[in-house]
């Protein structure tokens, strides 16, 4: 053992042996961490600790059913929005394992309930998820007005994607009376935060003169911003978005 407490590298060991040792150290660390997180969850019954405990059970132990049940418990008992959201996503697609087992059955209406709970508590990004299910209307009853209400909740909690979707409701008259002018401030906010689809739609409105005075200079300005932001890592989706150009409104 070195002075700093690190295991010294043995040059005689093979790469496989070194990797095996590293994997063991990592496994031991996470097993210890899971025990610690479980104790914290059961002792303090706080949303953050219990959510992280559920995540570790799934990601490190691959205990999908147990992790899912912990997410549900966190959602209902501790109003943990992040856990409601995670449980919702598991229900939305279902979990099928290579061995043929299904620890979590697909149940879209139940997923919608989880997203709704998350939206109403501490996870505004779920507001977009429940709104889209309500707008789509295939697995749950279509309700444009209710979808708009959820998007308003998310937008009021400063969730940019919710504000963008709310703006689209105004543009399309979906769940609310069509009003281009009310979409403009929502798109301006999104664009100022680097949301390229907001910039794109704002540019289109200036090009068409809908909700604003027609202004080709502002169209050019917002179109250029959209082009710049689309190549950057999207902070709202975690990936680089495809070029939207300066064509029709983005949805």
């Amino acid at each position: 053992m070195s002075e700093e407490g690190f295991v010294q590298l043995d040059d005689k060991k093979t790469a496989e042996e070194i990797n095996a040792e590293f994997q063991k150290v990592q496994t031991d660390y996470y097993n210890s961490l899971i025990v610690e997180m479980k104790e914290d969850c059961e002792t303090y019954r706080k949303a953050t600790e219990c959510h992280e405990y559920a995540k570790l059970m799934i990601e490190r132990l691959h205990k999908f059913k147990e992790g899912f049940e912990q997410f549900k418990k966190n959602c209902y008992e501790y109003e943990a929005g992040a856990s409601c959201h995670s449980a919702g996503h598991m229900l939305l697609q279902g979990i099928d394992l290579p061995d043929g087992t299904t620890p979590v059955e697909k149940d879209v209406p139940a997923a919608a309930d989880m997203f709704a709970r998350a939206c109403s508590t501490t996870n505004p990004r779920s507001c977009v998820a429940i709104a889209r299910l309500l707008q789509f209307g295939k697995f749950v009853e279509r309700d444009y007005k209710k979808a708009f209400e959820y998007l308003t909740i998310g937008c009021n909690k400063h969730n940019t994607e919710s504000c963008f979707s709310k703006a689209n409701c105004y543009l399309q008259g979906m769940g609310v009376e069509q009003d281009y002018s009310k979409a403009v401030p929502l798109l301006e906010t999104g664009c100022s935060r680097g949301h390229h689809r907001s910039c794109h739609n704002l540019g289109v409105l200036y090009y068409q003169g809908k909700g604003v005075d027609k202004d080709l200079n502002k169209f050019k300005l917002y179109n250029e911003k959209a082009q710049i932001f689309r190549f950057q890592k999207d902070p709202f989706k975690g990936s680089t978005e495809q070029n939207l150009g300066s064509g029709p409104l983005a949805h």
Side-chain angles (χ1 to χ4, degrees):
M1 187 74 70
S2 68
E3 294 180 358
E4 300 297 329
F6 294 102
V7 177
Q8 293 181 336
L9 181 64
D10 186 347
D11 294 335
K12 296 181 181 179
K13 291 183 178 179
T14 65
E16 290 77 10
E17 290 174 329
I18 294 174
N19 183 61
E21 287 188 1
F22 172 76
Q23 292 296 331
K24 183 179 184 305
V25 170
Q26 189 178 52
T27 299
D28 290 343
Y29 166 76
Y30 279 110
N31 285 340
S32 175
L33 182 61
I34 288 170
V35 171
E36 181 181 334
M37 293 302 297
K38 180 181 181 181
E39 291 176 352
D40 287 345
C41 174
E42 293 176 347
T43 301
Y44 303 109
R45 300 171 65 85
K46 290 184 178 180
T48 302
E49 285 82 355
C50 293
H51 179 72
E52 292 302 316
Y53 170 52
K55 280 180 60 179
L56 285 171
M57 276 201 291
I58 292 171
E59 294 173 0
R60 293 295 168 179
L61 300 182
H62 305 297
K63 293 184 176 181
F64 295 96
K65 185 174 180 60
E66 293 85 345
F68 170 71
E69 292 299 331
Q70 185 65 51
F71 278 144
K72 283 180 59 179
K73 181 178 181 179
N74 300 344
C75 179
Y76 286 107
E77 293 188 17
Y78 312 138
E79 294 188 343
S83 288
C84 298
H85 187 81
S86 296
H89 269 290
M90 294 178 79
L91 286 165
L92 190 64
Q93 299 177 345
I95 303 295
D96 296 314
L97 300 181
D99 63 4
T101 60
T102 304
V104 181
E105 296 280 352
K106 179 177 179 178
D107 188 337
V108 180
D113 178 64
M114 286 293 175
F115 289 139
R117 287 176 177 275
C119 173
S120 301
T121 53
T122 60
N123 200 291
R125 63 178 177 154
S126 293
C127 300
V128 177
I130 178 60
R132 287 177 178 168
L133 287 175
L134 289 168
Q135 290 169 344
F136 187 49
K138 182 176 180 180
F139 300 101
V140 297
E141 184 177 355
R142 180 178 281 113
D143 191 331
Y144 292 124
K145 185 176 180 180
K146 192 67 177 177
F148 181 81
E149 292 173 357
Y150 279 121
L151 292 173
T152 298
I153 292 173
C155 187
N156 289 343
K157 293 180 180 180
H158 311 293
N159 178 259
T160 302
E161 197 69 31
S162 292
C163 295
F164 172 74
S165 296
K166 181 179 178 180
N168 280 339
C169 289
Y170 279 121
L171 295 176
Q172 300 174 60
M174 190 162 54
V176 67
E177 185 177 350
Q178 188 177 48
D179 190 332
Y180 293 103
S181 63
K182 288 185 178 179
V184 172
L186 297 170
L187 297 174
E188 288 176 336
T189 298
C191 185
S192 69
R193 295 173 181 169
H195 190 266
H196 76 273
R197 288 178 293 160
S198 294
C199 300
H200 171 85
N201 283 3
L202 193 55
V204 172
L205 292 181
Y206 275 108
Y207 182 82
Q208 297 176 341
K210 292 182 176 179
V212 292
D213 292 332
K214 187 168 184 174
D215 190 327
L216 296 184
N217 288 327
K218 287 188 176 180
F219 157 69
K220 181 180 179 181
L221 171 66
Y222 287 114
N223 188 56
E224 289 175 348
K225 286 186 177 183
Q227 301 298 322
I228 292 170
F229 292 146
R230 85 175 192 271
F231 284 121
Q232 297 177 353
K233 188 179 177 73
D234 192 329
F236 310 101
K237 289 193 173 182
S239 62
T240 300
E241 288 291 311
Q242 184 179 1
N243 177 10
L244 291 173
S246 55
L249 291 169
H251 302 296

